[in-house]
Amino acid sequence: MSCCYVLDLRLAPQGVPAATYAYSILREMGPGETMRIWSPDEPMLFMAQLQNHMRHTLVCEITTDGQGYLITLHIRGPHEPLALADTLRRDHDDMDACLVRALAGAGAGRWSEAAAEVARLDRALRAHILLENEVLAPLAVREAPESTLLIRREHDDILIQLDALQEVCQAPEQSCTELDTWLGLLAATLNKHEYREESLLFGLWERASAVAGARFLDEVRRRLSPAVS
């Protein structure tokens, strides 16, 4: 990777989070460009925050000399597809944003707005779960049978909550209070589920997809719902 910019996190303005400081530079850069970041601290959390800001478009290499960490970041270009794990994380982010909009609408008493976001979330989340159950879960069932079973059970619970939300939205003259309650329950469920899924299974799915090749990734991207994009 060739480098065009070097950022030292030790020079970040006081009170500005490291990820925010780095993002202020990265957002001015274009696809295909590369930068290096020097961090005095272990960068795992920093990189998770920065990937979220950049919608998982970063390719990262990290080296250390024992005194700090040199992070080389490449922003994927338009012809560089996201890896499997980053594709799934982006879908998580999009669905989470849709859920936040639904909660905001319900909390403000905007029934039609909230119900429309619930419909988008329902389509996207069902497509996501179906993909993971049918295509991805079998990839790790031998290496991680307990984790795979746990994720499948959580998927069943999420689908039950989606059914309940659909009933609330379809009933006439429902109050936003009830919708807000069900959305809050779903938000808590998804928060725990997405963390467990990403930490327990994404790595295994990623390695298996690398063996399966580009066609497998194309199928994953095809099946993910664009409803919340």
Side-chain angles (χ1 to χ4, degrees):
M1 295 181 181
S2 60
C3 184
C4 61
Y5 196 93
V6 178
L7 184 70
D8 190 338
L9 294 183
R10 293 170 297 185
L11 302 179
Q14 186 174 6
V16 177
T20 303
Y21 179 51
Y23 176 62
S24 68
I25 306 298
L26 276 170
R27 68 183 179 184
E28 301 300 327
M29 298 172 60
E33 293 189 311
T34 298
M35 72 178 293
R36 285 179 178 164
I37 298 175
W38 175 261
S39 172
D41 303 314
E42 200 285 323
M44 181 178 295
L45 178 59
F46 163 77
M47 278 306 306
Q49 295 170 331
L50 199 57
Q51 284 280 25
N52 187 57
H53 285 319
M54 294 295 293
R55 291 184 56 74
H56 307 284
T57 57
L58 300 175
V59 180
C60 172
E61 292 180 2
I62 301 175
T63 59
T64 179
D65 59 2
Q67 302 298 316
Y69 299 84
L70 182 63
I71 309 162
T72 303
L73 299 178
H74 171 72
I75 305 174
R76 285 188 177 93
H79 302 297
E80 298 177 80
L82 296 178
L84 174 67
D86 289 335
T87 298
L88 296 173
R89 287 191 182 98
R90 177 181 285 191
D91 208 44
H92 280 177
D93 292 345
D94 287 343
M95 291 186 293
D96 291 344
C98 190
L99 179 55
V100 168
R101 292 193 298 269
L103 279 164
R110 299 190 295 269
W111 171 261
S112 297
E113 176 185 319
E117 292 294 346
V118 169
R120 295 187 187 96
L121 177 63
D122 184 88
R123 291 192 297 272
L125 192 45
R126 288 182 190 275
H128 190 99
I129 288 174
L130 188 62
L131 168 72
E132 290 181 340
N133 283 349
E134 293 186 347
V135 178
L136 300 179
L139 297 179
V141 69
R142 291 185 179 180
E143 296 86 348
E146 293 183 1
S147 297
T148 300
L149 182 60
L150 170 64
I151 294 305
R152 283 184 176 275
R153 286 201 302 263
E154 292 183 349
H155 284 167
D156 291 340
D157 292 339
I158 292 168
L159 291 172
I160 290 172
Q161 292 183 42
L162 285 177
D163 289 341
L165 275 168
Q166 286 297 309
E167 290 183 10
V168 172
C169 289
Q170 292 171 7
E173 299 182 2
Q174 282 290 337
S175 70
C176 281
T177 301
E178 186 176 355
L179 180 58
D180 186 70
T181 299
W182 278 106
L183 287 170
L185 290 172
L186 180 61
T189 299
L190 286 180
N191 183 53
K192 295 177 182 178
H193 171 74
E194 289 174 355
Y195 173 78
R196 280 195 283 262
E197 191 173 77
E198 292 178 12
S199 59
L200 295 175
L201 291 175
F202 273 24
L204 294 173
W205 292 348
E206 184 78 82
R207 288 191 289 275
S209 72
V211 175
R215 288 186 179 180
F216 181 85
L217 282 174
D218 289 341
E219 175 66 9
V220 168
R221 286 188 282 268
R222 184 187 68 80
R223 292 186 58 161
L224 287 178
S225 172
V228 295
S229 299

